[in-house]
Amino acid sequence: MTQIDIKKGEFGLIRLFALSMDKADATMLSGNGIGIADALGTGMVDAGGVSVVPIDVLDGMGLYGYLQEGEGVPKDQLMSDRAKIDALDGFVMVVRSSAFKGLAQTLDLTPQVTLIATYREPSRLSGTPTDLSSDSAAAYSGTPEDAAIKAAQNAKTRIPWGLTLTLLVLAGLLFALLVIR
C-alpha cells in the first residue's frame, strides 16, 4: 500500500487519484466523507474538499480541461502529465488540501486508489506554508489585569446595541403618542 504524509497546516495542493472501482462504488464515494476516508486510508476527511469525477461526462473538455478550468491547475503544471491524464478512464478523485482541515495525517491508500499527480493551486504558487502559531496568540496568554483594563475601556466608549435599540423604540413611541394627541 502507498502511504502519503499530509503535513499540519497544508494548503494549496490538489491531488489527483485514479479510482479502480466500478461505477456503483465510485458513485457511493461522492459526498461521503466516511467512504472517502476509508478509500484514502485515513481517519478524517471533509468531503467538501473532494470531488469524485466520472471522466466520461467530461466530453468536450476532458480531464485535462477539467483540471485546468474546473480546478484551476495551471497549464504549465499539467503539461508534463498530459499523457498520464489522457490515458485515465473510469473515475478519478480530486482531493484538495482543504479536505484535511489543516491536520497532519498519513494516507494509507487502498489498492483501488492510485496517486497520479499532485499540483499546486495557482494562488499558492509562490512561497511556502508558514507556521503562524505563537505563544502570544494562545488562549489565556495575557494577564487578567490586561483583559479587565481593555474591557473597562471598551465599556466606556461603547453603548450596547440592546440599550441603543431600546432607546430608539422608546423615542419612537413617545413621538407617536405626541403626534396622536
Side-chain angles (χ1 to χ4, degrees):
M1 289 192 185
T2 302
Q3 289 191 331
I4 301 169
D5 288 324
I6 307 298
K7 292 181 174 38
K8 178 182 177 184
E10 177 187 285
F11 66 94
L13 296 181
I14 298 171
R15 290 181 177 83
L16 175 64
F17 295 93
L19 298 178
S20 301
M21 53 184 68
D22 62 29
K23 182 178 181 176
D25 289 340
T27 304
M28 283 180 36
L29 287 180
S30 188
N32 177 356
I34 295 172
I36 294 167
D38 286 346
L40 293 173
T42 189
M44 192 285 304
V45 174
D46 177 8
V50 179
S51 299
V52 177
V53 181
I55 295 174
D56 62 351
V57 301
L58 302 172
D59 292 330
M61 141 182 323
L63 180 58
Y64 182 88
Y66 170 79
L67 290 170
Q68 188 176 3
E69 299 296 322
E71 294 293 335
V73 177
K75 186 177 184 177
D76 61 329
Q77 290 185 57
L78 292 171
M79 288 302 292
S80 62
D81 295 331
R82 181 76 191 242
K84 282 194 291 187
I85 292 169
D86 289 343
L88 294 172
D89 63 356
F91 287 80
V92 294
M93 184 164 52
V94 178
V95 181
R96 295 166 217 73
S97 293
S98 61
F100 305 112
K101 297 284 192 183
L103 301 174
Q105 49 190 299
T106 299
L107 307 182
D108 194 11
L109 303 179
T110 62
Q112 295 84 11
V113 180
T114 305
L115 178 65
I116 301 301
T118 301
Y119 304 106
R120 192 168 278 288
E121 294 179 41
S123 61
R124 314 287 192 198
L125 286 176
S126 62
T128 56
T130 303
D131 183 13
L132 298 177
S133 62
S134 72
D135 292 338
S136 64
Y140 307 111
S141 62
T143 63
E145 294 81 23
D146 292 342
I149 291 169
K150 286 181 184 177
Q153 288 171 343
N154 286 340
K156 289 179 187 175
T157 59
R158 287 190 314 194
I159 299 174
W161 280 104
L163 179 59
T164 304
L165 184 59
T166 303
L167 291 174
L168 286 173
V169 170
L170 288 174
L173 288 173
L174 183 60
F175 180 76
L177 284 173
L178 291 174
V179 171
I180 292 175
R181 290 187 183 194

